[in-house]
Amino acid sequence: MTVTDHSRATADAAHTHGLGTPTPDASRADRPTSFDVDAFTVPTGREEEWRFSPLKDIKPMLADQATDGHLEWDVPALPEGVTLTEVSPADARERSVRAPGDRASAVAAAHAGGAMALTIAPNTVVDEPIQITVTGRGEDVRGHLLVEAGASSEATVIIERRGTATYSEFVSVDLADNAGLNLVLLQLWDEDAVHAGEVVARLGRDSRLRGSVVTLGGKAVRLNTSAAFAGEGASVDLFGLYFADSGQHQEHQLFVDHAVPRCTSRVTYKGALAGATARTVWIGDVLIRKEAEETDTYELNRNLVLTDGARADSVPNLEIETGEIAGAGHASATGRFDDEQMFYLRSRGISEEEARKLVVRGFFADLIQEIGVPTVEESLMKAIDLELEHVNEELAEEHA
Amino acid sequence: MSTLEIKNLHASVETPEGTKQILKGVDLTINSGETHAIMGPNGSGKSTLAYSLAGHPKYEITEGSVTLDGEDVLAMSVDERAKAGMFLAMQYPVEVPGVSVSNFLRTAKTAIDGEAPKLRTWVKDVKKSMDDLRMDSSFAERNVNEGFSGGEKKRHEILQMELLAPKIAVLDETDSGLDVDALRIVSEGVNRVKDNTGLGIMLITHYTRILKYIQPDFVHVFVNGQIAEQGGRELADRLEAEGYDRFLASA
Ligand SMILES: Nc1ncnc2c1ncn2[C@@H]1O[C@H](COP(=O)(O)OP(=O)(O)OP(=O)(O)O)[C@@H](O)[C@H]1O
Ligand SMILES: [Mg+2]
């Protein structure tokens, strides 16, 4: 793979942010948060956090208007100590770890009509993954979701999104002290779905969050994930896997906020792209505040471009305000599966389709193992193979 | 018994300066069990011949024919050629990150045979072949050619040749860049495969050194996209002593 470093990263804060008119040198920490939709102007596409986004697709979700659509929830019998309840709008705000950070998310929270709260009681340890499937029926839907992991609880939660919808959401993830949560968000939408989501996590003292995001389906998916440390000794691992083919826009923005000492963060996102109009964006911001001594952080984004024309943007950004850190680094690389590699594999009898499969499976294999839920790992490999079949068909058509 | 027949082969490549004719009428027949050494100066078109036989998309065949046991090789896709029994050990093997050697070998073997190899014998075969080529078993878990030294890449090519058991193998400078020990190990590997499978070999080389280990049945002098002279082993010695001057002068 020819590796070109597309990283536009700088180890300082020379990076623009902000709403409306971007202010140079503004810290990521300065971005406003609010439940008030009007606190955010309608993005024009020039803002730092919107400049890569397909605003045309996202536009319906920026209007300060109620919708009457719903997703269908398929919830299994929940284990003891775990509940899923509907929460009033006032409570939903109250129980969110913070307010929305952009207009789409503020609109989602404002018009969701309250929230669904998945609550794991303190000291509850659930061995089996809790698998929830939500299915879109082609409607316009706003959602607000609370995931609350009580102190010293331990659970795996998988939320799988299927079908189609124009869906925006605000997801609050609250880890109380010493909680361990493995949260897997699967975007397996049909090809015409549009999804804008903000996931904000707060990590209490000694808590551990493993957050995996998998985006395979949808016409446009924009997921904005933030994790903020509220207590010392906590750790977050954020994994992401995406695969875009022609006509798909997949965008993942991340923000890890080290505000307290002795916390660890790892961000690992990998994406594959195939088809001339496939488009992916990854923006990874990490802020190590002055107080956050002995922070240990590393973020990585790798993209594998399988065909000409596909475009992967990758923007890591590390802001460091203290000299007392244990480790901080980032890496970003976009590689191409090129003609010479293809020739080499084919000269050993491996067909073009098989060659692509070999390379893509190899590219994702270690990441998939990190998700830590065997059933999800298996179904993901299958989903990636399906995705590849799709790609192969598309390429065969292009050649024909 | 297999026969590769190359007749009047012409090939060109597109360059920024225009189409460049590289192969200008190559005639060569290789039968099972025969070893043909091809020697020629840099840039004479040896690798182009090798790539053209394997079907590299960069080279356009403008004239001539290539058949393997009467089948039209030029009409086959790259992978079909491999399945038909052609093998190319490349001068510069390609790195394929993310794909482990063991996965690669198994996938290739399955593709060539049309069915997955029996797991137990396969694991044994791979291990034996790697041992014979003095490749540490840890290579199986490494990514294809990634971070391999020049010599390790060449051994890996011969490993593939042994496991895929082709009818005709083209070895493009498999000996270049090898120290004496590695050269001996690789040559023994080639001889072992030849003894076991009786494959026909086109051995492209700059140095007669390898011919001490691998006995050529024929030596061809390749100059300016053509075979300029053929002979036996003694021709190689003469080339080593005299160089290519007498061919270049007439070319
Ligand atoms: N893709 C290409 N684009 C432009 N020129 C090429 C290309 N491939 C080969 N050539 C040219 O064709 C000629 C023959 O190249 P080739 O690699 O076949 O030579 P060779 O005999 O294998 O040389 P060496 O002994 O150095 O390996 C050279 O002049 C080379 O520069
Ligand atoms: Mg060459």
Side-chain angles (χ1 to χ4, degrees), chain B residues 149-214:
Chain B
S149 71
E152 287 163 353
K153 284 182 181 164
K154 298 303 176 72
R155 283 184 228 190
H156 181 221
E157 295 292 282
I158 300 307
L159 173 70
Q160 294 167 51
M161 180 175 87
E162 176 149 40
L163 294 168
L164 301 181
K167 292 177 180 146
I168 303 285
V170 178
L171 309 185
D172 191 0
E173 299 204 25
T174 299
D175 57 328
S176 291
L178 296 185
D179 61 29
V180 180
D181 284 341
L183 179 66
R184 192 174 42 76
I185 291 163
V186 162
S187 302
E188 282 170 6
V190 173
N191 288 332
R192 195 170 53 243
V193 178
K194 193 173 158 182
D195 291 345
N196 291 341
T197 70
L199 87 170
I201 297 172
M202 179 192 293
L203 181 77
I204 298 172
T205 181
H206 280 290
Y207 311 105
T208 53
R209 210 172 52 153
I210 193 173
L211 304 180
K212 291 194 183 72
Y213 299 99
I214 301 175

Side-chain angles (χ1 to χ4, degrees), chain A residues 135-189:
Chain A
T135 307
R137 296 272 174 252
E139 297 174 322
D140 208 355
V141 186
R142 305 289 156 264
H144 189 170
L145 180 65
L146 308 175
V147 180
E148 300 167 321
S152 297
S153 67
E154 203 78 53
T156 293
V157 176
I158 303 159
I159 302 178
E160 184 171 319
R161 298 73 147 30
R162 292 198 165 272
T164 188
T166 300
Y167 180 55
S168 65
E169 65 181 349
F170 178 56
V171 182
S172 161
V173 181
D174 195 357
L175 277 79
D177 290 355
N178 198 39
L181 177 66
N182 187 357
L183 179 64
V184 184
L185 300 178
L186 301 173
Q187 284 61 244
L188 307 180
W189 298 111

Side-chain angles (χ1 to χ4, degrees), chain B residues 42-43 45-48 51 91-92 172-173 204 206:
Chain B
N42 291 124
K46 304 181 298 296
S47 292
T48 301
Y51 277 133
Q91 186 172 0
Y92 303 108
D172 191 0
E173 299 204 25
I204 298 172
H206 280 290

